[in-house]
């Protein structure tokens, strides 16, 4: 498995490698606009400059190869969010899709289904046998979104992470296997067709 930061696109979204220098201001504006709606976000820690710390984390982990971030744009070029591949494991052919956040006007639209369709297709085409999603147990909306994609809940990692604001987080683990991808793909294609 060799997952890379290629440009991925369809008629709904374009994903390009996220660049902190180019895209950092858009990410900050999105996070500021969403405010307390993202309080379950792992980096959320106001009043500190938590977005600055998050951007530094993105930059460091990208350099290490443990994070492959993408800027998500709509067809008109408007910034719609961020999503990433996390901890690609070439030996076990596993990767996580996460650190996904969308602008308020992109939420509840075709953007999530299109983004996940592109990322999943790319991961499986690169040889992944398993794609994982880790969701904060408090974040019911994201759990519902992953289930709607076709993710299978595997379990809950109880109290597995202490967040910067001191919250002890439990994580719900979902996955999609390569053998499940054809059915998941068909479901996503049907969902996206409804937006045409």
């Amino acid at each position: 498995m060799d997952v890379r930061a290629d440009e991925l696109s369809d008629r709904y979204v374009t994903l390009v490698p996220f660049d902190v220098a180019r895209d950092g201001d858009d990410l900050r504006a999105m996070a500021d606009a969403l405010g307390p709606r993202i309080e379950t976000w792992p980096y959320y820690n106001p009043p500190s400059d938590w977005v600055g710390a998050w951007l530094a984390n993105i930059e460091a982990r990208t350099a290490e190869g443990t994070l492959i971030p993408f800027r998500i744009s709509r067809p008109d070029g408007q910034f719609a969010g961020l999503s990433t591949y996390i901890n690609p494991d070439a030996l076990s052919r596993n990767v996580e899709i996460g650190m996904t956040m969308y602008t308020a006007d992109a939420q509840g639209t075709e953007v999530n289904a299109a983004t996940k369709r592109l990322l999943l297709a790319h991961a499986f085409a690169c040889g992944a046998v398993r794609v994982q999603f880790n969701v904060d147990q408090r974040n019911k909306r994201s759990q519902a979104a992953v289930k709607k994609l076709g993710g299978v809940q595997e379990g809950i990692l109880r109290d597995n992470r202490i967040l910067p604001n001191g919250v002890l987080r439990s994580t719900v683990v979902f996955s999609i296997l390569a053998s499940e991808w054809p059915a998941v793909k068909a479901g996503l294609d049907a969902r996206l067709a409804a937006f045409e």
Side-chain angles (χ1 to χ4, degrees):
M1 181 185 81
D2 186 17
V3 178
R4 298 173 186 240
D6 295 329
E7 179 175 323
L8 309 172
S9 66
D10 62 16
R11 65 174 46 189
Y12 308 103
V13 294
T14 298
L15 280 59
V16 297
F18 186 90
D19 179 87
V20 169
R22 181 193 65 210
D23 304 317
D25 288 344
D26 287 330
L27 186 90
R28 183 178 293 279
M30 173 182 64
D32 288 345
L34 293 171
R37 290 176 58 186
I38 54 172
E39 67 184 353
T40 63
W41 192 249
Y43 301 93
Y44 186 75
N45 191 24
S48 70
D49 179 20
W50 67 273
V51 178
W54 181 25
L55 287 167
N57 178 281
I58 291 171
E59 198 163 45
R61 291 176 67 189
T62 300
E64 293 167 0
T66 60
L67 191 74
I68 303 171
F70 294 90
R71 171 196 172 97
I72 304 163
S73 300
R74 289 196 149 156
D76 62 2
Q78 177 187 353
F79 180 79
L82 167 83
S83 194
T84 72
Y85 290 127
I86 302 172
N87 297 322
D89 181 343
L91 184 62
S92 295
R93 296 168 51 195
N94 283 236
V95 68
E96 178 186 344
I97 293 175
M99 203 183 284
T100 302
M101 184 184 291
Y102 299 113
T103 58
D105 65 337
Q107 294 177 14
T109 69
E110 72 283 1
V111 170
N112 185 52
T115 297
K116 295 304 191 304
R117 167 73 170 77
L118 288 170
L119 290 173
L120 286 163
H122 184 60
F124 289 122
C126 289
V129 296
R130 181 177 186 278
V131 176
Q132 179 170 309
F133 302 84
N134 292 331
V135 181
D136 189 310
Q137 189 176 29
R138 299 169 296 159
N139 191 339
K140 303 302 182 192
R141 181 177 179 153
S142 289
Q143 289 179 57
V146 173
K147 287 177 185 174
K148 191 172 181 180
L149 288 173
V152 175
Q153 183 175 330
E154 296 180 336
I156 299 172
L157 303 176
R158 300 177 304 153
D159 294 350
N160 73 308
R161 191 167 175 185
I162 300 174
L163 303 182
N165 61 4
V167 169
L168 188 58
R169 167 181 152 159
S170 292
T171 301
V172 184
V173 179
F174 298 88
S175 69
I176 297 172
L177 304 181
S179 60
E180 298 164 342
W181 172 234
V184 170
K185 176 181 174 287
L188 285 168
D189 289 346
R191 281 177 58 194
L192 288 168
F195 290 100
E196 294 179 3

